[in-house]
Amino acid sequence: MEGVLILVIPFERLHDCVGILASHFTQLSVLTHDDEESVKYRQIAVLGLRRDVRGTAVENNKRQLLSVGLYGNFLGLTELQPGACPPYSVPPSSRQS
């Protein structure tokens, strides 16, 4: 199954999602937004590609996310804007009758 993840959560909850994100998504990016409500509630956007991740790739993803969530700084994150992360190719949806 392919797809693109766009997850908006409070920065403090990222560590709760590390396991599922690390094993089901690649090319993960964690970004902030300058919207007033996003700043007020310390929200982040997590972007990624849906893939079945295994082995060392899972551990690498976990390390990346933990370095942001547990050891990182909300104010030090890159802001969501054009060019902040590589573009994601969105697969077409399947037709349903």
Side-chain angles (χ1 to χ4, degrees), residues 8 31-45 74 79-81:
V8 177
L31 307 159
T32 61
H33 193 274
D34 67 352
D35 176 77
E36 184 179 321
E37 294 293 309
S38 294
V39 173
K40 179 180 177 181
Y41 294 107
R42 295 174 50 91
Q43 292 178 330
I44 56 172
F74 175 75
E79 186 178 318
L80 179 61
Q81 59 185 336

Side-chain angles (χ1 to χ4, degrees), residues 4 62 74-75 87:
V4 175
K62 284 182 182 178
F74 175 75
L75 298 175

Side-chain angles (χ1 to χ4, degrees), residues 7-21 30 41-46 65-66 68-70 74 77:
L7 175 67
V8 177
I9 57 173
F11 176 72
E12 289 75 19
R13 299 283 55 96
L14 178 61
H15 70 277
D16 295 332
C17 305
V18 166
I20 193 105
L21 291 172
V30 181
Y41 294 107
R42 295 174 50 91
Q43 292 178 330
I44 56 172
V46 182
L65 293 169
L66 288 172
V68 171
L70 287 180
F74 175 75
L77 292 174

